[in-house]
Amino acid sequence: MIFTCNTSSLNKALQIVQRAISSKPSTPIFSGIHFICDQEKLEIMAMDLNMAISCTIDSSTADPGETVVSSKHFINLIRKLPGEFVTITKNKENKTLKIESGKAEFQLLLMNEDDYPKFPEFNGEKTIILEDEKIKNLIRKTIFACSTDGSRPLFTGILFELKDEKITFVGTNTHRLAVKSTPYEDKDVLNIIIPSKVLCEISRNLTGDLPQYVKISLLKNQIKVVIDNIVIVSRLIDGKFPDYKRVIPPNFSVEAKFNVKELAGAVERVSLFSVDGEYSIVKVSVDGDEIILTSSSPEVGNGKEVISCTSEGGNLNVAFNSSYILDILKNLDSEEATLCMNTSLSPVCIRSEEEKDYKYIVTPVRVVF
């Protein structure tokens, strides 16, 4: 196997595929990078038990073939090579890989390519194609609400729901819920749970200046995502996602319309005075045309800030984990939003008239005012 390719292109491809490699690979072979080259293309692959990523780039191949090499050492080396191009030669006899770039030459020991599994390929029973901006928006506005607790895998992914000719993404950690929809002309009904790691990779690779399309193929418990020259294959999360609609109150007795940037700034400042373990609690009081934010800590002091609002339905006191409020405020694209409430302990909704297809529900914290 002998091929030459652009060093920068190879480095970019390696940065993409290496994210499939676990920090603690299930077997040593999964710490490697797999290369397959033909006359004009080089396919670079990495995988573990739950996810595989491949990226194809242009190459000039003198001798087609395949090999596997340690990802850590190879990636670090390619990142620091001096030349514009790199030539890579596999030596079967001494089981090494020669890397030449400019006046530099290196040799790395090979891994056993026979131990490396084939990249998973399948023809999906269902295929969905989405514009890049649509899926990036769906991901950005829901993924922050997912759980990071591996002991509750059901909530570490996003519910992908296709129904009534729209796609809805739902993320929750059981304390908060983000729901975002977008129109999609398809009469099928579909419910799957996509791992958040897969969605992060989709979003991370949608960086082109020109419009891109994301092709999603589904087969049983597997998902395949194709973005230009990148392929991501993963297992879906097993289990039945809870009925998220039951969490959203049908009506609210108190509503307060506010400026998003003003509230975000006030929450950030006031939360500095409240630290309780992993949480920073901010008390919120709706009083006529004002939202009053307060917090206190015996070790720090206390903070108070008032912003203007337009409210209906009376006054109400409620308290939140400040990060849960900041997360939604940072992901709203409108200037104004509405805080919708019933009681101090019932689920609260934050929504915007300009983004009717986006809702956020958060559970208040029980405190003494």
Side-chain angles (χ1 to χ4, degrees):
M1 184 189 82
I2 305 173
F3 67 87
T4 300
C5 63
N6 181 275
T7 307
S8 177
S9 297
L10 178 58
N11 182 46
K12 288 178 181 177
L14 290 169
Q15 300 310 309
I16 291 168
V17 303
Q18 73 166 343
R19 290 191 284 267
I21 299 175
S22 170
S23 57
K24 296 180 180 179
S26 52
T27 63
I29 194 65
F30 284 143
S31 67
I33 298 282
H34 189 195
F35 300 90
I36 299 177
C37 60
D38 58 20
Q39 295 301 324
E40 298 178 348
K41 297 291 181 182
L42 171 66
E43 188 176 7
I44 306 154
M45 294 159 283
M47 68 175 72
D48 206 334
L49 291 177
N50 294 316
M51 185 168 74
I53 303 177
S54 79
C55 184
T56 303
I57 63 172
D58 294 331
S59 72
S60 176
T61 304
D63 184 17
E66 65 177 299
T67 193
V68 178
V69 67
S70 165
S71 61
K72 179 180 178 181
H73 299 96
F74 186 81
I75 290 171
N76 287 337
L77 176 60
I78 297 300
R79 187 187 293 123
K80 298 174 182 178
L81 286 178
E84 182 181 356
F85 294 93
V86 57
T87 297
I88 295 177
T89 305
K90 175 184 175 182
N91 188 318
K92 288 185 178 180
E93 283 68 33
N94 61 13
K95 298 181 180 180
T96 60
L97 199 68
K98 183 168 70 173
I99 299 110
E100 300 171 277
S101 182
K103 295 182 180 180
E105 179 179 316
F106 308 89
Q107 291 196 25
L108 284 176
L109 295 176
L110 295 177
M111 302 178 77
N112 188 352
E113 64 204 49
D114 294 333
D115 292 341
Y116 205 90
K118 290 184 178 181
F119 193 86
E121 287 288 347
F122 62 84
N123 295 317
E125 295 175 335
K126 176 68 179 177
T127 298
I128 294 167
I129 299 175
L130 279 170
E131 298 94 329
D132 53 357
E133 286 304 317
K134 278 190 175 182
I135 193 165
K136 280 172 68 176
N137 226 14
L138 287 166
I139 295 169
R140 177 174 69 88
K141 290 179 177 290
T142 56
I143 200 165
F144 65 87
C146 285
S147 173
T148 56
D149 184 358
S151 65
R152 307 176 73 192
L154 190 68
F155 301 110
T156 62
I158 291 286
L159 173 66
F160 180 114
E161 180 183 72
L162 173 60
K163 189 178 181 181
D164 300 329
E165 296 193 44
K166 66 180 179 180
I167 289 174
T168 301
F169 273 30
V170 184
T172 183
N173 66 356
T174 71
H175 299 294
R176 59 176 173 177
L177 174 79
V179 183
K180 169 69 177 173
S181 299
T182 191
Y184 188 77
E185 293 184 5
D186 191 322
K187 296 186 183 298
D188 282 352
V189 175
L190 178 69
N191 279 274
I192 58 173
I193 306 173
I194 303 176
S196 58
K197 186 176 180 180
V198 174
L199 295 169
C200 284
E201 292 308 315
I202 293 174
S203 188
R204 188 180 278 120
N205 287 295
L206 293 174
T207 57
D209 295 328
L210 297 174
Q212 294 174 281
Y213 288 88
V214 178
K215 181 180 178 181
I216 298 172
S217 300
L218 302 166
L219 179 65
K220 297 180 180 178
N221 68 333
Q222 286 189 299
I223 180 172
K224 179 170 73 173
V225 180
V226 180
I227 309 168
D228 295 334
N229 63 329
I230 301 166
V231 179
I232 304 166
V233 179
S234 171
R235 295 174 185 267
L236 296 171
I237 295 176
D238 293 327
K240 182 175 175 58
F241 204 84
D243 184 2
Y244 66 91
K245 294 178 182 177
R246 292 180 59 187
V247 181
I248 305 173
N251 300 295
F252 297 95
S253 58
V254 178
E255 296 190 1
K257 183 179 287 188
F258 59 88
N259 180 279
V260 172
K261 287 186 177 179
E262 283 185 8
L263 184 59
V267 171
E268 283 188 319
R269 289 183 288 272
V270 171
S271 66
L272 296 174
F273 293 85
S274 173
V275 180
D276 182 12
E278 297 179 2
Y279 300 100
S280 178
I281 306 301
V282 171
K283 298 175 181 179
V284 178
S285 298
V286 176
D287 188 356
D289 59 357
E290 292 181 338
I291 295 178
I292 305 162
L293 298 97
T294 59
S295 67
S296 63
S297 168
E299 296 83 13
V300 182
N302 58 75
K304 177 181 178 181
E305 189 161 344
V306 180
I307 68 167
S308 59
C309 72
T310 304
S311 69
E312 296 179 358
N315 303 336
L316 189 65
N317 298 323
V318 64
F320 301 106
N321 178 343
S322 62
S323 64
Y324 286 2
I325 299 301
L326 287 172
D327 282 343
I328 177 62
L329 297 179
K330 290 175 181 177
N331 283 286
L332 284 169
D333 296 324
S334 49
E335 289 187 12
E336 291 187 324
T338 303
L339 195 63
C340 308
M341 303 163 284
N342 285 313
T343 70
S344 295
L345 295 176
S346 61
V348 172
C349 178
I350 297 176
R351 65 190 184 196
S352 167
E353 286 299 316
E354 296 175 31
E355 300 181 70
K356 293 183 181 295
D357 56 5
Y358 188 33
K359 290 180 180 178
Y360 182 72
I361 303 294
V362 59
T363 303
V365 179
R366 186 187 296 271
V367 298
V368 177
F369 277 82

